[in-house]
């Protein structure tokens, strides 16, 4: 069936450093990220709505309804526009490869503006280098 991911979570799953909104959120994020960062190709369904990570988040209020909807929809929109994404099935590792080829530090600064995790998790370094062990 694959994992459901919203566009900006393509970046969060690369930048993630083990910190999150709650224990339940972190537990779920750890499990999802462990799969996605493995070498085995993982099918994902890109959805322009709440996803499998939102499902364990204390900020989710309902389907397609995050407490900070305006902000997270902006993150999603920018990721979709920069990387020309569609709401369909992808292989996560192929998308990460594409993003890695196309992304610049300026794009990340633009997409992630206003996100509190951006500096906490050193996302930029991880996404640019694809070295998740930092
Ligand atoms: S903060 Fe919003 S977009 Fe982020 S995981 Fe939670 S519900 Fe989803």
């Amino acid at each position: 069936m694959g994992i459901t991911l919203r566009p900006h979570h393509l970046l969060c799953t690369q930048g993630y450093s083990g910190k999150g909104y709650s224990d339940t959120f972190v537990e779920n994020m750890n499990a999802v990220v462990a799969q996605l960062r493995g070498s085995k190709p993982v099918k994902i369904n890109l959805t322009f709505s709440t996803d499998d990570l939102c499902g364990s988040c204390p900020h989710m209020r309902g389907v397609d309804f995050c407490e900070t909807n305006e902000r997270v929809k902006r993150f999603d929109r920018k990721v979709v526009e920069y990387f020309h994404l569609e709401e369909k099935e992808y292989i996560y590792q192929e998308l990460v490869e594409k993003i890695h080829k196309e992304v610049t530090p300026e794009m990340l600064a633009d997409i992630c503006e206003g996100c509190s995790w951006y500096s906490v998790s050193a996302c930029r370094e991880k996404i640019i280098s694809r070295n998740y062990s930092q």
Side-chain angles (χ1 to χ4, degrees):
M1 204 187 95
I3 295 167
T4 302
L5 278 189
R6 63 188 307 157
H8 82 268
H9 284 166
L10 291 169
L11 302 179
C12 305
T13 48
Q14 296 182 66
Y16 179 66
S17 64
K19 302 181 189 82
Y21 301 112
S22 68
D23 290 349
T24 310
F25 179 87
V26 166
E27 209 173 291
N28 180 54
M29 188 80 177
N30 285 344
V32 171
V33 163
Q35 260 197 76
L36 296 178
R37 290 185 186 172
S39 53
K40 211 170 131 216
V42 180
K43 271 186 199 166
I44 59 152
N45 296 304
L46 199 69
T47 177
F48 298 175
S49 179
T50 37
D51 65 4
D52 284 351
L53 298 177
C54 300
S56 296
C57 180
H59 299 296
M60 181 168 154
R61 291 286 169 262
V63 174
D64 202 17
F65 185 23
C66 169
E67 222 169 69
T68 57
N69 229 21
E70 202 183 310
R71 186 171 52 177
V72 298
K73 287 283 187 187
R74 171 166 47 82
F75 299 156
D76 284 340
R77 197 185 63 245
K78 289 193 174 186
V79 170
V80 166
E81 285 172 5
Y82 274 127
F83 304 109
H84 309 103
L85 302 174
E86 292 170 52
E87 203 168 26
K88 63 174 194 179
E89 190 176 281
Y90 289 95
I91 300 293
Y92 178 82
Q93 285 81 354
E94 290 175 8
L95 264 187
V96 166
E97 182 68 33
K98 171 186 161 61
I99 290 170
H100 179 68
K101 281 191 188 132
E102 297 173 10
V103 76
T104 63
E106 292 74 24
M107 279 182 201
L108 281 180
D110 180 38
I111 295 165
C112 305
E113 194 191 342
C115 174
S116 45
W117 299 107
Y118 189 54
S119 51
V120 175
S121 293
C123 299
R124 188 177 67 182
E125 287 69 22
K126 291 198 190 69
I127 295 165
I128 299 282
S129 70
R130 282 196 299 180
N131 176 3
Y132 305 133
S133 59
Q134 311 171 55

